[in-house]
Amino acid sequence: MTQAYIVDAVRTPRGIGKPGKGALAHLHPQDLGATVLRALRDRNALDTGRVDDIVWSCSQQRGKQGGDLGRLSALWAGYDVRASGVTLDRFCGGGITSVGFAAGQIMAGFEDVVIAGGTEMMSHHQEADGWERGTPFAELGRARGNYALYDEHPISAVGVAADAIAAMEGIARADLEALGVESQRRAKVAIDEGRFARSLVPVHNRDGTLALDHDEYPRPETTAETLAALKPAFVAMEQVPAAPDGTTMRQMIERKYPDLRWEPVHHVGTSSGVVDGSAALLLASEQALAANGWTPRARIVTSVNAGDCPTLILNAPVPAARKALARAGLTVADIDVWEINEAFAVVTEKAIRDLGIDRAKVNINGGAIALGHPIGATGSILIGTALDELERSGGRYALVTMCAFGGMAPAVIIERI
C-alpha cells in the first residue's frame, strides 16, 4: 500500500457568517472554494490537468451551495476540465472526511493527485433554511425526509445537547467559560505571532479588490467576568417542538435519559462562532511527489470514523480518537498536537478529561469559540492548522477530531515529515 502525503494546506480567513455583517457574506460559495484552489495551484506549480479528483465537503448543499460545489469551484478557479470533483456531507465532520477519502484513494493506488477540502458560508444558511424563518423543527425535518430526527433515534438540538452533557459529566459553567477565555487568548497569540500566515490566503472580490485578509470573528477582549455575565443561549431552544406529537427538545433528551436534569450553561462565549470560510489540501502519492518535484510536509497515518448516541449528538470525538490511536498503534502521550473542534466548550473539555490529554497540547492556537466554525470546511482548516503547528513546534504527530450532527465523529492522525 502506498502512502498519502500532504503537499500543502491553505485556507481563507473566516468572516462573520451573517448577511450584511460579514466581510465575505456578499460573495458566492464558489468564490471561496476557487480562492483556495487557485492558491494550491499557484503555490505548488500544479498542472491542474494532472489532478485526479477534488473531494469537497459542504454541509448545507442547497441554494448557492448546491450543485457539487467541489467541481463548480474548480471550474470557477480555472482548473483544467479533466480535474473532476465530488461533494460530500458529514455535517460538521465533512472537512476531515474529505481528506480521509482523498487519502484512501491514493493509498489504494487508485489515484495519485487528489485535492481535499470544504466550503461553508453560514451567512447563506440564514437565507435558505426554513427553520431560521420559524418553521418548527419537526416540520422541517419531515419536509426534508429526515425521519430519524425524532423517530427511531431522536436527535435533539446541538446546543441543548451540550448543556445536557455538561450536567451529565459534572462540568461546571465556570470550567466551560475558562476554556472559552483561553481559546480567545490563544487565538490572539497565534494571530499576533503570525502562526496562521503560511496557510492563510486573502479573499478578493470579483473586481480584484480585497474582501478579507484576516480572521474576522475573534474577540480578544473576552474575560471571565464578561462571560459570567452572559445569559445562556439555548433556553428557548429547549422548548422547540421536536416531534409531531409536540415533544420538545428537552423532553426528547429526558425520555432517553429519565434521571438527567440540567440547567442551561452554554452561550455565545462558550459556543463556536458562525462564520464563512473555505480550506483545501493537496495530497499526493510518492510517485506523484517525484514526478512533480514536490516535498511532502506530512503523511496521513490513519483516518477513522465513530458513532455515538444521536440524542446527545456531541460525544463521538472520544471514541473516534481512541479508535484512531489504536489503528495507528499510538497512545495519547504520542500526540504532540490535538485539534478537538470547539463546537461547544463541553465537547473539548469532555475529551480532555476522558482521554487524559495535557491541556497545553489541545487547540494550541485557539479554537472555534474564538475563530469560528464554518461547518463543512472546519475539519480541513484544522488539519492545516495542526500541520502548521507541528512544523512550528517540531512535533511529530497530530490528531484532529470533531463532533458531527447525528452523533458522529471522524478523526485523522498526521505525521510531520
Side-chain angles (χ1 to χ4, degrees):
M1 183 175 65
T2 187
Q3 297 290 332
Y5 295 95
I6 299 176
V7 177
D8 201 7
V10 297
R11 72 169 178 91
T12 68
R14 279 163 276 196
I16 293 172
K18 295 184 178 181
K21 295 184 178 180
L24 302 177
H26 65 289
L27 296 172
H28 195 284
Q30 292 171 28
D31 291 320
L32 298 196
T35 294
V36 290
L37 289 172
R38 291 190 193 108
L40 283 184
R41 178 194 63 197
D42 298 344
R43 286 161 54 126
N44 299 284
L46 173 63
D47 176 357
T48 59
R50 301 180 71 174
V51 175
D52 294 305
D53 204 6
I54 297 166
V55 185
W56 216 246
S57 163
C58 181
S59 181
Q60 299 291 338
Q61 295 178 33
R62 62 188 191 279
K64 295 177 182 178
Q65 295 193 155
D68 192 353
L69 193 54
R71 171 63 169 174
L72 297 181
S73 295
L75 293 175
W76 185 239
Y79 270 44
D80 192 294
V81 295
R82 290 172 290 177
S84 64
V86 64
T87 301
L88 60 87
D89 175 13
R90 198 191 291 276
F91 300 113
C92 297
I96 294 178
T97 297
S98 65
V99 174
F101 282 9
Q105 288 289 95
I106 292 170
M107 295 171 77
F110 296 157
E111 310 281 18
D112 286 303
V113 178
V114 185
I115 292 173
T119 301
E120 201 82 39
M121 295 197 67
M122 298 183 75
S123 56
H124 292 327
H125 290 198
Q126 296 166 53
E127 297 174 0
D129 197 331
W131 192 11
E132 294 291 340
R133 298 191 297 271
T135 304
F137 189 66
E139 181 182 336
L140 182 63
R142 181 70 76 181
R144 294 181 184 169
N146 296 336
Y147 299 109
L149 286 172
Y150 50 77
D151 287 345
E152 295 298 323
H153 301 285
I155 302 174
S156 62
V158 287
V160 180
D163 288 341
I165 293 168
M168 185 178 291
E169 298 294 325
I171 300 174
R173 171 171 165 160
D175 293 333
L176 301 173
E177 291 174 345
L179 189 147
V181 171
E182 182 65 4
S183 181
Q184 297 284 354
R185 187 194 70 78
R186 292 185 182 190
K188 183 179 188 305
V189 170
I191 292 168
D192 289 348
E193 295 185 359
R195 296 185 188 179
F196 301 137
R198 180 166 186 176
S199 295
L200 195 66
V201 294
V203 178
H204 291 87
N205 297 307
R206 294 190 178 183
D207 64 3
T209 59
L210 180 67
L212 187 65
D213 64 358
H214 63 280
D215 289 311
E216 193 175 26
Y217 190 79
R219 294 184 286 272
E221 71 279 3
T222 300
T223 65
E225 290 73 25
T226 59
L227 295 191
L230 295 176
K231 294 182 179 180
F234 304 104
V235 177
M237 183 63 69
E238 292 182 2
Q239 304 307 318
V240 170
D245 64 1
T247 300
T248 66
M249 293 288 181
R250 173 177 276 270
Q251 290 170 338
M252 179 182 288
I253 295 177
E254 289 177 342
R255 285 182 182 180
K256 183 86 172 180
Y257 300 94
D259 296 328
L260 179 62
R261 296 293 181 271
W262 73 91
E263 295 296 327
V265 289
H266 284 84
H267 47 62
V268 67
T270 50
S271 305
S272 55
V274 175
V275 296
D276 299 331
S278 186
L281 296 92
L282 174 60
L283 282 77
S285 66
E286 189 169 355
Q287 180 180 354
L289 294 178
N292 291 279
W294 291 327
T295 300
R297 297 175 61 189
R299 74 176 181 95
I300 304 294
V301 177
T302 192
S303 177
V304 305
N305 301 282
D308 203 272
C309 173
T311 304
L312 293 178
I313 305 176
L314 310 173
N315 283 340
V318 170
R322 287 176 172 152
K323 183 178 179 180
L325 291 170
R327 291 276 186 179
L330 299 172
T331 68
V332 169
D334 291 322
I335 304 301
D336 303 295
V337 174
W338 292 79
E339 287 289 340
I340 304 172
N341 188 44
E342 295 170 357
F344 298 91
V346 73
V347 177
T348 307
E349 183 66 24
K350 181 181 186 316
I352 290 171
R353 296 184 184 196
D354 286 0
L355 296 169
I357 310 172
D358 179 354
R359 290 178 181 275
K361 295 182 177 182
V362 181
N363 301 349
I364 296 169
N365 297 303
I369 290 173
L371 295 160
H373 176 23
I375 310 298
T378 301
S380 297
I381 291 174
L382 296 184
I383 294 171
T385 299
L387 175 54
D388 287 343
E389 180 57 28
L390 284 177
E391 292 175 337
R392 185 190 74 85
S393 63
R396 182 177 180 182
Y397 292 111
L399 191 154
V400 182
T401 189
M402 60 200 306
C403 58
F405 190 76
M408 301 182 290
V412 64
I413 296 176
I414 64 172
E415 179 183 20
R416 179 178 65 89
I417 302 296

